[in-house]
Amino acid sequence: MTRASDTQGHIRNGTLRNGTLSKEGLPGWLDPVVRAVETVRPDQLSRFLPPEDGAGRQSAVLILFGEGAAGVGPELLLMERAGSLRSHAGQPAFPGGALDPDDGDPQGDGPLRAALREAEEETGLDPAGVQLFGVLPKLYIPVSGFVVSPVLAWWREPSPVGVVDPNETARVFTVPVADLTDPANRVTTIHPSGHRGPAFLVESALVWGFTAGIIDRLLHFAGWERPWDREKQVPLDWRS
């Protein structure tokens, strides 16, 4: 019998037997990201790791890299959550959400299905044009109790995207990786609780929290990070 930990290892290394994950045909500029996915440890991504007792709601997000328009270069797909939501209202984020029973084993390929399903429901993208190539270690969001599997993908055949349900999503947008690595767009957020974290001022949005933390670590371990002023601070108001 295959252990859950073994299955998770197979997923991260892109060798899931059902062929859902594949590294074939990826553009060369994604090679540093692929290497980072294969080698990064959970504690190198976040200090918030899943509870050892198994508590937490299993979920997944889709980190989707696209080619971008000519001259723009690679980009990431993000969405802005509706301001009326109970948690993370108005916050830019990766598409994603909680696993449904039909998604399958949370320790197997369930997160892969959930990431694609949620992205389709939230942005309208066509999953047929998305190539999944890796999964980062599971992380934890204490404020919401979610255990998150970050699923990485290549937008092999881009499709139109936009707001599907205004009650959940305020807007859907892409951000050039070049803008994310630009030191002028990087800041440190200060939460009312005192927590400090990396953030990005891009596309008329402040990307912070869990999403910004993942982007920050991906840029670092892929070797794309450029020196930036960590003393440049942006406070978050009490509603955050």
Side-chain angles (χ1 to χ4, degrees):
M1 178 179 295
T2 302
R3 295 177 300 172
S5 59
D6 292 337
T7 304
Q8 183 66 17
H10 290 318
I11 290 176
R12 288 193 60 202
N13 291 321
T15 57
L16 194 64
R17 286 178 296 178
N18 64 11
T20 303
L21 287 177
S22 173
K23 299 176 186 175
E24 295 182 5
L26 294 176
W29 55 262
L30 268 176
D31 288 348
V33 178
V34 173
R35 289 193 293 270
V37 173
E38 293 173 340
T39 59
V40 70
R41 302 190 312 268
D43 63 335
Q44 292 177 314
L45 293 174
S46 174
R47 64 189 179 94
F48 299 114
L49 304 180
E52 295 183 359
D53 62 3
R57 189 175 184 187
Q58 296 292 325
S59 63
V61 296
L62 184 69
I63 304 176
L64 182 59
F65 287 92
E67 190 65 53
V72 175
E75 60 186 11
L76 273 176
L77 178 68
L78 295 177
M79 52 167 279
E80 186 175 309
R81 295 169 60 83
S84 58
L85 293 176
R86 293 173 56 187
S87 62
H88 309 294
Q91 191 171 341
F94 298 118
L99 269 67
D100 286 346
D102 290 344
D103 292 326
D105 183 4
Q107 304 303 326
D109 56 7
L112 307 183
R113 295 192 181 94
L116 280 178
R117 174 183 55 75
E118 286 282 346
E120 181 180 14
E121 293 175 359
E122 292 175 336
T123 74
L125 66 76
D126 182 0
V130 176
Q131 179 179 337
L132 307 180
F133 65 83
V135 182
L136 291 170
K138 292 178 184 288
L139 302 174
Y140 187 58
I141 304 180
V143 67
S144 59
F146 279 106
V147 175
V148 186
S149 295
V151 180
L152 286 89
W154 158 240
W155 211 350
R156 188 184 65 252
E157 299 176 9
S159 55
V161 292
V163 174
V164 176
D165 183 355
N167 293 318
E168 291 191 1
T169 307
R171 66 170 173 144
V172 177
F173 59 101
T174 57
V175 179
V177 172
D179 288 354
L180 294 167
T181 60
D182 186 343
N185 298 330
R186 304 213 56 180
V187 295
T188 296
T189 52
I190 310 297
H191 193 275
S193 67
H195 176 72
R196 300 164 57 97
F200 302 83
L201 290 164
V202 290
E203 300 298 321
S204 301
L206 174 64
V207 182
W208 63 282
F210 177 84
T211 302
I214 293 295
I215 295 174
D216 172 77
R217 293 295 80 198
L218 279 176
L219 296 181
H220 175 76
F221 287 108
W224 293 346
E225 184 179 36
R226 297 164 59 188
W228 58 283
D229 183 4
R230 297 174 187 271
E231 297 305 314
K232 183 180 177 182
Q233 300 177 0
V234 173
L236 296 170
D237 65 33
W238 65 271
R239 292 170 297 175
S240 301

